[in-house]
Amino acid sequence: MFTQTARFYDALYSFKNYRKECDAILAIAGQGQTLLDVACGTGKHLELLRERFECEGLDLDAKLLEVARERLPGTPLHVGDMTDFDLGKQFDVVTCLFSAIGYATTPQQLQAAANCLAKHTSPGGIVIVEPWLGPDVWNPTHLHMLTVDEPDLKIARMSVPGVEGRISTIRFEYLISSPDGIERASEEHRLGLYTREEYLAAFSAAGLSGEFVESEAFGRGLYVGRRIDR
């Protein structure tokens, strides 16, 4: 994941409007009191959501959680895999944002992740998932560069995309300049490419009444499901 570059994550994604995204989450979530953010990263969503909810977070990347713990003193944060975790409790709202669901790279893993999200949702509670790109949208020839230009930090991140069947691949190459000198880093990311029907089928099989919701705050839309009592 972002183990090599976790300390630069917030600078790289400083363009994101977290307040607007969290306002959209609040509009969907209703009157719940507790929230779990799965794949919470550095905790930027949780920083705002905990103004309204009693929050916890979970992420596979321990380095990202180190940043989150500095940001969120007193908020329980857990190291865990979205496809296989058990916190022994349920929440009124469970979120999985910034397309992190794509890291479930096979249909079996997607279903396992949906099952875990549902299992941690209280009866009648809400699951909110921001999807990764679908197979009809992913462009394996699109080159991209992201830059950071701050007084004490300069970053150029080049990305080379690819595709392996229904898995999108991204190779990131970083050049990072700071008062400590110049360093390089490389990362490989693999994300599953799923259709709308596949997301909704995974929700349904997990006991969630799912729907796709267009969202101004989330350009890729959201999948919203309510846990069904069985």
Side-chain angles (χ1 to χ4, degrees):
M1 300 296 187
F2 295 93
T3 301
Q4 295 185 63
T5 59
R7 65 192 187 280
F8 306 121
Y9 186 93
D10 290 335
L12 287 162
Y13 294 107
S14 61
F15 61 86
K16 279 179 64 67
N17 189 334
Y18 285 94
R19 175 63 71 180
K20 186 175 183 179
E21 293 181 1
C22 287
D23 285 346
I25 296 297
L26 292 174
I28 294 170
Q31 300 301 311
Q33 297 182 339
T34 59
L35 180 144
L36 172 66
D37 188 20
V38 175
C40 65
T42 62
K44 291 282 283 184
H45 286 111
L46 283 175
E47 183 178 31
L48 300 173
L49 291 169
R50 71 177 188 166
E51 296 173 359
R52 166 68 177 77
F53 295 98
E54 180 182 336
C55 290
E56 298 191 25
L58 179 137
D59 201 282
L60 183 62
D61 194 321
K63 290 294 186 181
L64 291 177
L65 285 181
E66 286 180 9
V67 179
R69 288 192 175 96
E70 293 181 3
R71 171 171 285 123
L72 304 168
T75 297
L77 300 172
H78 313 273
V79 177
D81 186 328
M82 72 172 75
T83 67
D84 184 20
F85 70 95
D86 186 356
L87 301 182
K89 62 175 71 174
Q90 294 178 325
F91 300 82
D92 298 322
V93 182
V94 176
T95 60
C96 184
L97 305 174
F98 208 179
S99 300
I101 193 68
Y103 288 102
T105 56
T106 68
Q108 294 78 15
Q109 288 181 339
L110 177 64
Q111 188 62 64
N115 292 343
C116 279
L117 298 178
K119 182 174 72 172
H120 288 82
T121 306
S122 302
I126 297 289
V127 172
I128 303 172
V129 172
E130 180 184 5
W132 176 234
L133 300 174
D136 58 333
V137 177
W138 175 249
N139 181 355
T141 66
H142 176 68
L143 302 177
H144 185 257
M145 180 173 70
L146 182 63
T147 61
V148 173
D149 187 7
E150 299 178 356
D152 293 325
L153 179 64
K154 313 294 183 186
I155 303 175
R157 187 185 76 182
M158 301 284 196
S159 64
V160 178
V163 64
E164 299 175 7
R166 292 288 296 277
I167 297 176
S168 59
T169 64
I170 310 172
R171 187 176 84 246
F172 287 140
E173 296 287 345
Y174 298 82
L175 187 62
I176 304 159
S177 176
S178 72
D180 296 326
I182 296 176
E183 60 184 294
R184 296 177 182 271
S186 300
E187 295 170 347
E188 295 280 347
H189 294 254
R190 297 169 60 84
L191 298 97
L193 300 168
Y194 301 108
T195 65
R196 184 176 299 185
E197 291 74 20
E198 287 170 323
Y199 279 115
L200 292 174
F203 268 46
S204 179
L208 300 167
S209 60
E211 63 175 329
F212 177 77
V213 177
E214 299 283 357
S215 172
E216 181 183 351
F218 295 91
R220 295 166 188 163
L222 295 169
Y223 289 93
V224 179
R226 186 174 297 276
R227 180 173 167 181
I228 305 167
D229 290 325
R230 290 180 171 176

